[in-house]
Amino acid sequence: MFNLIRQSPEIAFNIARYGLAWTAAFDQHRHDFDSMYLAGAKTALHGMRSNPPPLRDWPLLLRHNLELGMQIAISSSSKMMEFHTDQILDGVDALVRTLVGGDGETVGEFAAREADAMEAVAFDFPKAIESMKYEFGFQFGSDGYKLVKETPCFRMYQVLPTKPGVVVNEKGKPTLLVPPYMLGVHILSFLPGEGKSYAHAFANQGIPTYVREVKDIDITPAVQTISCEDDCEQTRDLCQFLKEKHGRPVTLNGICQGGYISLINVLSGKLQGVVDALITGVTPVDGTKSASLGEYMSGMPSGVGMEYAYETLSNGNRVVNGDVMSLGMKLLAISKEAPLVAMYNVKSMYKDTGGNPGKTAAAINRWLREERVHLPVAIAEMSGKTFKVPIAPDGTLPVSLFGKPLNLHDLKKLGVRWFLAYSKDDSLVDRDCALAAVPFLEEDGVLQITEFPGGHVGILTSFASEKSKCPLHGEFNGMIGPVRYQLNLDREGKGEGKEGVDKKEKAA
């Protein structure tokens, strides 16, 4: 008891520290969520003013919002109960040791540790997120990249190797990375300095590696008004340049929405002769098969559509508001994204890592916070359609290009092979959604599939290292990574043939 009395002033001080830090941390998470919500709500409100939903949909809309509110309340209270139950148990153990003596943490030490951790969540973690701007993503102004070509909507940069001793094989088969419009380009170069960069995993094998960056939509009218046909034609220009430079057809390498855009561009036939291979990662091939998104969309009234996300810019062009789209993704996973839940998740991360969470979490938060951009209307509507209309029984996609239907079986006719990678635990693009093309292409001999562990961005953040258990450049679980696939294509093109490469793969 004497020990407890002696420590009482210090315990009270640390409890006060904890309370202040808790308030500051929660306010930050709530502000991040509320700022996105308010910006999205403003856009949606203006959309409803000019195009009000049918009266019959208002009760459904109200019910949908009430259900979301209930999910926030339930997930927040459950997370708080779970977290503080563990915390109280730790505190009781420390109290017993303080009262009866013995080795281990005292109440004073427990209170100080918890206060330190909460202050790290409130003050250190935001600084870590801000510092990531110098490490996260492509630093296109540095010597590690070369601007090689521009179109009205895109800049194409070459990604140079960062691994000592590696030089670009100028006669190698080039690959062009196509990021999603919504997630932005920088997630493809997550943390190059930490060996966690999808783009550099290719470049560090000597592969001629290029990335297509969409120009700033806020100041580029051509991007604001781009059509899917414009995307296709400008992609052909980029690929034609690369084929002439390296003397080899290009592998289009699309991630998430960028993979679907790459697929339809190939199926249009416009890229024939300049593209002969396709790599996609975590791509929603048939959005109607996405269980998580389908469940969310099923709760929305049928009269509430994409038009409520439109925003008119000062020049009169309409775009799809990035805050609305990002908010939709957060609402999809609201049980994990509610402000209180997010704060406790960060606190748990500090506890589990002994106060040293590393750079990955800060970089992911940097990406989620800073990469919200407006979307071109045509691109957003095309993507939206793929989540409402399934692939037809004959393999025809729900979207068309240049007035012509797009059929999966045309890959074989065009001589294009497809490497499809998906993530086992992806909650956004789940297995059925990602593998929707498989039943149509099983007999065509053009498709190769690899399953990665982890979630939606795991392929981009976790497997670039040569020490990874599922390396992008290697073989694992009887499958190969996309970098190895690209290297195999390169060797085939040099005369080894597919059979010769397959034999070497089996021998290895």
Side-chain angles (χ1 to χ4, degrees), residues 314-350:
S314 59
N315 61 6
N317 290 333
R318 290 197 305 174
V319 296
V320 176
N321 184 279
D323 285 309
V324 175
M325 300 303 289
S326 296
L327 178 63
M329 295 300 101
K330 280 189 174 291
L331 294 178
L332 176 62
I334 192 61
S335 61
K336 298 179 181 178
E337 297 291 345
L340 194 63
V341 176
M343 184 196 74
Y344 278 120
N345 284 337
V346 175
K347 177 66 168 57
S348 297
M349 176 186 66
Y350 269 87

Side-chain angles (χ1 to χ4, degrees), residues 219-238:
I219 59 174
T220 311
V223 176
Q224 298 163 9
T225 59
I226 191 175
S227 66
C228 294
E229 287 76 10
D230 294 332
D231 183 294
C232 183
E233 290 176 336
Q234 292 181 41
T235 299
R236 176 181 173 82
D237 290 345
L238 298 177

Side-chain angles (χ1 to χ4, degrees), residues 470-484:
C470 303
L472 298 178
H473 69 284
E475 181 179 352
F476 53 93
N477 302 329
M479 301 173 288
I480 62 173
V483 176
R484 173 63 67 87

Side-chain angles (χ1 to χ4, degrees), residues 53-88:
L55 187 61
R56 66 176 184 276
D57 283 346
W58 281 96
L60 295 175
L61 189 60
L62 176 61
R63 177 180 176 179
H64 183 69
N65 280 276
L66 290 174
E67 288 176 348
L68 285 174
M70 286 296 295
Q71 289 183 45
I72 293 174
I74 292 172
S75 61
S76 297
S77 59
S78 297
K79 186 67 177 181
M80 179 182 287
M81 181 70 70
E82 175 189 348
F83 181 87
H84 286 297
T85 296
D86 291 340
Q87 194 176 52
I88 289 170

Side-chain angles (χ1 to χ4, degrees), residues 204-356:
N204 286 337
Q205 295 293 325
I207 297 169
T209 305
Y210 299 84
V211 61
R212 189 188 85 171
E213 180 198 30
V214 181
K215 293 182 179 179
D216 187 347
I217 191 171
D218 290 326
I219 59 174
T220 311
V223 176
Q224 298 163 9
T225 59
I226 191 175
S227 66
C228 294
E229 287 76 10
D230 294 332
D231 183 294
C232 183
E233 290 176 336
Q234 292 181 41
T235 299
R236 176 181 173 82
D237 290 345
L238 298 177
C239 293
Q240 180 67 45
F241 174 87
L242 294 180
K243 183 183 179 183
E244 293 173 357
K245 180 181 180 182
H246 295 284
R248 306 279 296 278
V250 177
T251 299
L252 270 190
N253 196 335
I255 297 298
C256 192
Q257 179 200 49
Y260 194 87
I261 290 171
S262 297
L263 173 64
I264 65 174
N265 285 350
V266 167
L267 291 175
S268 73
K270 293 289 184 178
L271 275 58
Q272 190 170 19
V274 296
V275 171
D276 66 352
L278 175 66
I279 294 174
T280 64
V282 294
T283 291
V285 177
D286 186 339
T288 65
K289 296 184 179 297
S290 173
S292 56
L293 188 57
E295 182 180 350
Y296 172 74
M297 294 295 290
S298 65
M300 291 292 289
S302 58
V304 178
M306 185 71 71
E307 64 272 12
Y308 298 112
Y310 290 161
E311 179 173 319
T312 303
L313 302 179
S314 59
N315 61 6
N317 290 333
R318 290 197 305 174
V319 296
V320 176
N321 184 279
D323 285 309
V324 175
M325 300 303 289
S326 296
L327 178 63
M329 295 300 101
K330 280 189 174 291
L331 294 178
L332 176 62
I334 192 61
S335 61
K336 298 179 181 178
E337 297 291 345
L340 194 63
V341 176
M343 184 196 74
Y344 278 120
N345 284 337
V346 175
K347 177 66 168 57
S348 297
M349 176 186 66
Y350 269 87
K351 179 180 178 181
D352 295 341
T353 59
N356 184 26

Side-chain angles (χ1 to χ4, degrees), residues 364-380:
I364 288 178
N365 277 269
R366 172 83 187 178
W367 166 58
L368 292 172
R369 181 179 297 180
E370 301 296 332
E371 295 297 305
R372 298 198 295 262
V373 296
H374 296 327
L375 301 179
V377 169
I379 301 299

